[in-house]
Structure formats: structure tokens, C-alpha cells
Amino acid sequence: MALPSVVAVVVYGCSSDEPKIEDLCGWLADPENCYRKFAEDIAPNGIPRCTNLALDPNPVAGTEQIGGFQSRETLDNCFLASGGIIKFGMPIDLKMPKVPAEGVTFTFVNADESECGSGLFIASDNFKITINGDTVPDGQMLTEAQVAGGTYSLVRTGGRDTVTSTCPTEGHYFNLDQLSKCPEYTAILPKAEFDIVTGGLDENGNPSTCGSNGGNFGALTFAVNYPPTTGDLANAQPNRIEYFKCLIPPPPAMCVDMIQDGLETDVDCGGKTGCDRCPVGVKCIVDSDCAGGLICVSSQGIKKCAIDSSQTTSSSAASSSASSSASSSSSSSSSSASSSSASSSSSTGSGTTSTGACM
């Protein structure tokens, strides 16, 4: 079921027909209130009937629906480990990791590609969740294992502490200030959570102390607090249904992420890092930022790596000196060899000359 992109914030002016404010404490205390009945239908005993936990023959309340995105750059489809997909209406942008003003929309798709529900989150007290009900033939009743489904929404009135709570079959209008008279029911007030974590988690979505910035993975998590479906509601803790935790792939390691970050002096090089030293023409701060044989010099007000001309001159001079020395040594050796040859010839007479002619 498609959701509108925005749940409108209701605003009542002085001349508007504002609904009568109802008894919030009495509604929360009523075991037959429509939000609790909705929870009994779509999440009995804290186990959701929408999402793939419903396919588990032995589902456990509180089990996380772990999934993951294929790319850190495009957070649109989250593939659940147990099968199925969470499809986001608009990809989350990690450059601005916060819920946009128009909210976040998403659809629950089961492993068999059927849609079982959808959600919209703007704030903890401004959200909507729809669970698609089972279809039964005319004249027949739903079985205990089937879902009636429907939509629940909570909409905060702009600038006030009033909310409109709408169940599949009825709606109510409350002032949240009434909770001061019944604090024992505060925990089971309808509430949703949508968390955006950009890093610091391990591959299971748990807090991690390893990797850069405390961990490598991030996550998008959506959960709804429902009242318990059994027992007394006073001082009760809610059944927190986590519909998904979608892991965000870790960012590329520094030095190969194609951006200048950390202590790098330019993209993926220099600085007091393990990165490569910077080549000619790339920004630096000190000589050690540059590759071997290069120095850090100022060029038009910007320090860049450049060839060390003084080293080039010294190398040329050293090369010239070495050539000159080699030439002198060669001449000296030739002269010595001639002298020795003459001396030998004088000693041996015709024999040396003859030997020389044969060679």
C-alpha cells in the first residue's frame, strides 16, 4: 500500500473546529484500546506478522531483522538476510545524515516479492505504519493465524502538545500534558524510532571499538513501541518491534578513498599517515610529505611537491667529476702500458716483435 510522502502536521486556529480533547490516561489504561488491539493483530507477543520473522517456524520476540545495502553511496534497497527487501522511497543521503523534513518512507517486501506493509517516519510522535491484511473469501472469517491489518498513525499538532491517534477503525485526539496525571503509562505511549548511524558498528550491527572512528559499519533502524498484549498496562514496558536494521557498508579505508581526509595533505597522500608520499605538483606541508627526491616548495602561495633542483645540480656535477676522473685514469693506464711494452721489446729482441706480429 503506497503512502503519501508527507503526513501533514495538523494546525488548529482559534476559529477552527478543533476536536474535543479526550482522556489520554483512560485510553492508555484501557486493555481494549485500539492501539493495543492493533498490536495484538499485527504483532502478537511482540512478534511481527509482517517481515520475514513471520515465516520463521519458531520466531523469537526481539529478533533483529538484519539486512544490508549493496553500496554506501546509494541507500535505497536493503536486502534482508532472511530474504525480502526494505525499499526506501527516497535514498538516505549520508552527507546529511538526518531525517528530512518530509520524512522517510519505506515498503516491506517479503521473500516471495509480496508487499506486506509500509511505513513513514517524520518524528517519534509523527509516524504511520501500514500492515497489509490477509484476504479471505466473502462470508468467511479470518483465522487466528491471519492478519486483519490496517494503518495506525500518530500526528503531532503543530506548535502544541496535542496529537491525533488514528487506528484502522477509529481516531482520537489527546493532549500529551495529561501524562503528568498518569506517569505509569508514559512508557506505552505510541512511539516510533528511526535511527541513522554512520559508523561505529560491527558486521552484526553491534557497537564496535575496532576500525576507524570506532567501527566500520553504519545502520538505518526503524522500530515501533506497542503496548504489551498481555498483563497489566500500568508501569508496563512496551513491546519494541524492530522492523529492520539495515547495515551500511564501511567506507573505503583512508589513503584509498579518493578524498583528502584525516591528516593527508592531498588526496590519499602525505601527512603523518601510512599513505603514499605525494608526487610532483601535489599539495604538501613539509618535505616529508613528498616522494623521494622531491621537496615541498611554495608555488603561487600554495605549497606543492617539486623536483629538488639543487640535488639535480649536485648530481650533474658529481657525474661530470666521475667522468673526468675515469678519463684521466684511462690515459694514465695507457701510458703505463706503452712504457712497459717498450721495455719488454728491448729485452726480448726479435722474439717480442715476432710474437707481436702473430697476435
Side-chain angles (χ1 to χ4, degrees):
M1 181 182 295
L3 288 174
S5 60
V6 176
V7 169
V9 175
V10 179
V11 179
Y12 294 109
C14 296
S15 60
S16 300
D17 294 328
E18 181 175 358
K20 179 182 177 181
I21 292 178
E22 302 176 51
D23 179 9
L24 176 59
C25 293
W27 183 75
L28 290 173
D30 182 4
E32 298 297 316
N33 77 60
C34 65
Y35 190 52
R36 193 185 197 192
K37 301 301 287 183
F38 181 68
E40 288 176 351
D41 175 46
I42 58 93
N45 301 315
I47 300 172
R49 284 179 170 167
C50 176
T51 73
N52 290 293
L53 285 179
L55 306 178
D56 190 331
N58 298 297
V60 178
T63 301
E64 295 179 330
Q65 283 276 99
I66 294 288
F69 297 98
Q70 292 185 319
S71 167
R72 188 177 178 86
E73 285 68 40
T74 307
L75 306 182
D76 53 358
N77 292 325
C78 167
F79 296 88
L80 298 175
S82 57
I85 304 173
I86 305 298
K87 292 187 175 182
F88 287 82
M90 184 67 69
I92 299 295
D93 186 356
L94 288 184
K95 294 178 182 177
M96 296 183 292
K98 62 180 181 180
V99 175
E102 64 273 19
V104 178
T105 61
F106 38 85
T107 302
F108 308 120
V109 180
N110 281 326
D112 61 2
E113 299 184 359
S114 62
E115 291 187 9
C116 72
S118 52
L120 165 63
F121 179 91
I122 295 177
S124 61
D125 55 4
N126 196 347
F127 68 94
K128 175 187 285 191
I129 183 162
T130 296
I131 303 300
N132 298 344
D134 292 311
T135 302
V136 296
D138 291 339
Q140 294 188 21
M141 301 290 289
L142 288 170
T143 67
E144 187 176 341
Q146 290 179 312
V147 181
T151 297
Y152 175 80
S153 67
L154 188 70
V155 180
R156 184 73 172 261
T157 305
R160 305 182 63 180
D161 288 329
T162 52
V163 293
T164 300
S165 174
T166 306
C167 299
T169 58
E170 61 191 64
H172 302 274
Y173 187 60
F174 302 116
N175 189 313
L176 297 179
D177 289 341
Q178 294 176 338
L179 283 172
S180 62
K181 300 177 181 178
C182 54
E184 66 272 21
Y185 296 113
T186 300
I188 60 171
L189 187 73
K191 178 183 177 182
E193 302 170 13
F194 188 88
D195 296 324
I196 303 175
V197 178
T198 58
L201 305 177
D202 63 18
E203 65 274 12
N204 296 313
N206 300 315
S208 171
T209 56
C210 64
S212 60
N213 300 319
N216 293 324
F217 289 84
L220 303 183
T221 305
F222 175 70
V224 177
N225 284 357
Y226 295 106
T229 54
T230 59
D232 191 2
L233 294 175
N235 298 308
Q237 291 303 306
N239 281 334
R240 182 180 183 274
I241 304 298
E242 188 171 284
Y243 284 94
F244 58 78
K245 176 177 282 186
C246 294
L247 298 180
I248 302 170
M254 192 173 65
C255 300
V256 294
D257 56 5
M258 301 185 71
I259 60 173
Q260 181 183 341
D261 53 5
L263 298 176
E264 296 171 351
T265 59
D266 209 310
V267 176
D268 296 340
C269 73
K272 294 181 179 180
T273 65
C275 302
D276 291 340
R277 300 297 87 189
C278 298
V280 172
V282 170
K283 288 182 295 183
C284 57
I285 297 176
V286 294
D287 291 347
S288 60
D289 295 326
C290 304
L294 304 181
I295 58 174
C296 187
V297 298
S298 180
S299 174
Q300 297 181 345
I302 300 176
K303 299 185 79 173
K304 296 182 178 181
C305 294
I307 296 173
D308 186 353
S309 58
S310 64
Q311 289 293 328
T312 303
T313 303
S314 297
S315 295
S316 297
S319 177
S320 176
S321 174
S323 294
S324 178
S325 176
S327 176
S328 173
S329 175
S330 176
S331 296
S332 177
S333 294
S334 270
S335 182
S336 225
S338 295
S339 233
S340 176
S341 178
S343 175
S344 177
S345 208
S346 180
S347 250
T348 58
S350 59
T352 302
T353 303
S354 174
T355 301
C358 293
M359 291 175 62

